[in-house]
Amino acid sequence: SGGAGDYSPLTLSVEVLQIHRAGLEVNSPTNQPHVVDVGKENLVVLRLENSGNGDDSYSLSYELGLNENISSDPGMEVLFSINPVELGAGSLRTIPVSVTLPENTPARVPVTVRFTMTSEGNRSVSDYKEVVFEVRQDHRWEIDASVMGVGINGSTHMLSPGGSIEFGINATNTGNLVDDLMLQVQTKTILVGSDQSLEWVANGSSAENVSVNGTVSLSISASSPEDSWNGSIMEVNVTALARGIPVYTFGFFVEVTHTPGWGVSSTMADLEIDPEGSEVELEIIQRGNAPTIPFVSVYVTGQTGWEIGELPDLGVVQPGQSVPLFLNVTPSDSATHGRTVELHLRVREGDSSG
């Protein structure tokens, strides 16, 4: 108030109100569902944008989507490379995120993870994006390949010719989906000497549709041929395959034991003995499974006084082969024509077996 020329200055302060905005995109993975392996780190790349008009700080968080397949968090690990994130007005920034799904995550079902960025300047401002993961089947098995608490792997088991052996194998599906298991067998024979045996056999069993945490009993069997030699070996290598994926390997050996056996043939012998003595030819047949020297003992019953000349030394006889034995037999002085006696022959090995 006052005269017409009397004025008071008016000063105004104008301040621009900050507008908080948040923009979130997923740069990687580009395809969803993103198929991953359990127990391994998986990279997710987030792109953050501050489309507001001032500097802002954004906190990052995640949330697992629960549904009928996943009723609770199985223990997922999410690590943000930076958190919180500072962004100037109009700026962008990519943030690597590590996501690890635990071994107990169900396979072949969608696992949805929601990532959220929230403005620290205005907590009501946020944006989110979802990434859908899918876990590959994890073919994990616990396999007990032992006998009486002793592991089969690397062991040697003795078999007689034509013998067989069988092992029980317990296997538990510790993976994340119903699975199959097959024991695949490969063999290698190490034959001694002139052993030409062929029918070496080893087999493994299988199981199908084994539930998670289910246990099955499988078996491995091995057998040697009837004509196998002492000391010949079959190496058995076993691979446990879960739908074609190797999950366990072990191996063992079977070795053929010594089975002695001898036979005597008189087919070619002339058993009519002259009064002055005769040479009798017999055939010693090796029916065992190892090259050995036969030891022969001979005696006569039915009349005393019969003499057997000194027996020759016989060499090593291979299994399945024979060697001639020539005996000089002299009847007693009292022997008469037409009276028979019995010639006894015993063949054995150096340890008296056979």
Side-chain angles (χ1 to χ4, degrees):
S1 61
D6 190 7
Y7 297 96
S8 296
L10 177 62
T11 303
L12 299 177
S13 176
V14 178
E15 182 177 347
V16 177
L17 181 65
Q18 181 172 356
I19 299 174
H20 297 273
R21 292 192 179 98
L24 181 63
E25 296 292 338
V26 176
N27 279 5
S28 178
T30 56
N31 296 319
Q32 297 188 36
H34 182 42
V35 181
V36 300
D37 294 312
V38 295
K40 294 184 179 180
E41 292 186 0
N42 302 282
L43 178 65
V44 174
V45 179
L46 302 177
R47 188 188 72 182
L48 283 64
E49 180 181 7
N50 177 3
S51 56
N53 61 353
D55 295 345
D56 207 345
S57 178
Y58 298 90
S59 61
L60 298 175
S61 61
Y62 74 94
E63 181 182 2
L64 177 64
L66 303 180
N67 51 44
E68 65 275 8
N69 295 315
I70 300 179
S71 58
S72 62
D73 188 344
M76 179 177 61
E77 293 183 2
V78 177
L79 298 175
F80 297 101
S81 58
I82 302 174
N83 194 18
V85 181
E86 304 288 339
L87 291 177
S91 64
L92 301 170
R93 188 167 187 178
T94 56
I95 303 297
V97 183
S98 171
V99 178
T100 304
L101 298 177
E103 293 180 346
N104 58 336
T105 306
R108 299 180 184 174
V109 299
V111 179
T112 303
V113 181
R114 173 181 289 189
F115 295 97
T116 302
M117 63 178 293
T118 303
S119 169
E120 293 292 331
N122 184 348
R123 300 289 299 176
S124 65
V125 175
S126 64
D127 193 12
Y128 71 87
K129 286 295 181 291
E130 293 181 345
V131 177
V132 180
F133 296 90
E134 185 177 296
V135 171
R136 290 187 183 91
Q137 180 170 5
D138 184 20
H139 298 281
R140 279 183 296 115
W141 288 81
E142 288 183 0
I143 297 178
D144 179 17
S146 63
V147 176
M148 305 284 291
V150 179
I152 298 173
N153 188 44
S155 60
T156 299
H157 304 269
M158 308 305 292
L159 288 182
S160 59
S164 63
I165 191 170
E166 183 172 295
F167 304 108
I169 308 295
N170 291 323
T172 301
N173 178 7
T174 57
N176 55 0
L177 196 66
V178 172
D179 209 350
D180 306 332
L181 191 66
M182 177 181 71
L183 298 181
Q184 183 184 73
V185 175
Q186 293 182 322
T187 63
K188 174 185 177 182
T189 53
I190 306 168
L191 305 180
V192 299
S194 299
D195 186 356
Q196 298 180 356
S197 56
L198 298 175
E199 300 300 321
W200 295 82
V201 177
N203 292 303
S205 63
S206 61
E208 297 180 350
N209 298 321
V210 183
S211 60
V212 176
N213 296 321
T215 299
V216 291
S217 295
L218 304 177
S219 64
I220 291 290
S221 62
S223 61
S224 61
E226 292 281 356
D227 58 342
S228 56
W229 287 23
N230 172 223
S232 288
I233 294 173
M234 176 171 65
E235 180 181 352
V236 182
N237 293 304
V238 184
T239 302
L241 299 174
R243 295 184 177 176
I245 305 299
V247 294
Y248 190 80
T249 59
F250 64 95
F252 60 93
F253 303 88
V254 292
E255 181 176 346
V256 179
T257 59
H258 183 201
T259 302
W262 294 95
V264 178
S265 173
S266 60
T267 303
M268 304 299 294
D270 181 3
L271 299 179
E272 292 286 339
I273 306 300
D274 294 333
E276 296 80 14
S278 298
E279 184 180 71
V280 176
E281 180 182 355
L282 301 175
E283 184 182 16
I284 306 299
I285 304 169
Q286 162 72 285
R287 292 177 176 165
N289 70 336
T292 50
I293 299 175
F295 292 86
V296 181
S297 59
V298 184
Y299 62 95
V300 176
T301 61
Q303 190 178 39
T304 60
W306 286 69
E307 295 181 359
I308 306 295
E310 184 177 351
L311 298 178
D313 292 331
L314 301 177
V316 174
V317 184
Q318 302 294 320
Q321 296 185 3
S322 62
V323 62
L325 173 65
F326 296 96
L327 300 177
N328 291 315
V329 182
T330 304
S332 68
D333 294 337
S334 60
T336 59
H337 177 71
R339 182 175 181 180
T340 62
V341 295
E342 292 183 355
L343 178 67
H344 297 266
L345 206 82
R346 182 184 179 188
V347 185
R348 67 190 191 280
E349 303 194 10
D351 59 359
S352 298
S353 62

